[in-house]
Amino acid sequence: MAGPSPESSTSGDHGNDAVVGGMREHDRFLPIVGIGRIMRKAIPENGKIAREAKEFVQECVTEFISFITSEAVDKCQKEERKTITGDDLVWALSSLGFEEYVEPLKLYLQLYREVIVSLC
Amino acid sequence: MRQAGIYSGILSHRTGPHSLPLSRIKKIMRHSGSDSKAMMIAGEAPLVFSKACEIFIQELTARAYEITVLGRRRTLQKDDIATAITVTDLFDFLLQVVPESADAGDGAAPAAGGRPIDDACELLL
């Protein structure tokens, strides 16, 4: 579960949350703390990351989620299904060029489902 | 084979203190387009994304840092990410979020820096 601190605002100003398309600005992105943590894992120990770069990756991740979700939604609609499943996302990822993500994700998904089934 | 934490974590949708928040992921999914608002989202879907986003962030960051290194720097800058996006086909969908370079008059041109981009093309393609 997330740590004790509340969700951090990306822009640093706490009073005004701009509303964009029905969502508050900082709700459009994943928290910068988590993103920064993951980014740091991808660079050497002595590397640093500019704040602006983390903010930019926040935008990119949201775009990534939207991109993949839209593709999965299209598939569901074509097949006249109302629920987007994990499999739909995996399919969308593969279809949009992210085939290398599929194997680790399938494993993750399988683990999840095993837990759910074991409870029924 | 029991791995403490993973099973109970998955069950309660707590993917650990170091993971991305599932409720926020779900919100972003909902706002992906007008059609997505009418869809139901299976419980496992945000979980799949939390892992996929992790991989995506690492890949984008690693590629961007290659540009940083080419520029003989140690601090990853926003422009390095922009350059990585420009030279990687997989990230074409991100071209729309890349800011227009101040140096280039044409919005479709890659980020500033002649030589590093050529080197980046050799390195990354």
Side-chain angles (χ1 to χ4, degrees), chain B residues 1-47:
Chain B
M1 178 172 52
R2 208 142 199 279
Q3 294 186 54
I6 292 184
Y7 286 101
S8 56
I10 289 175
L11 180 61
S12 56
H13 280 209
R14 287 180 197 165
T15 48
H18 302 293
S19 308
L20 303 165
L22 300 178
S23 55
R24 190 74 69 83
I25 290 175
K26 193 166 176 176
K27 254 187 206 163
I28 296 171
M29 287 179 73
R30 286 233 170 276
H31 285 79
S32 303
S34 50
D35 294 332
S36 50
K37 288 187 172 56
M39 304 289 296
M40 307 269 290
I41 299 173
E44 63 199 13
L47 202 75

Side-chain angles (χ1 to χ4, degrees), chain A residues 7 29 48 82 84 86 101, chain B residues 24 40 44 59 74 76:
Chain A
E7 292 165 348
F29 305 133
K48 289 196 172 82
K82 288 217 170 93
I84 308 169
Y101 294 24
Chain B
R24 190 74 69 83
M40 307 269 290
E44 63 199 13
E59 186 173 1
R74 285 210 191 129
L76 186 81

Side-chain angles (χ1 to χ4, degrees), chain A residues 8 30-41 58, chain B residues 17-21 54 57:
Chain A
S8 56
L30 296 178
I32 201 168
V33 172
I35 292 196
R37 203 176 274 136
I38 297 170
M39 287 178 77
R40 262 197 302 284
K41 288 198 266 186
Q58 276 184 301
Chain B
H18 302 293
S19 308
L20 303 165
E54 205 178 306
I57 292 168

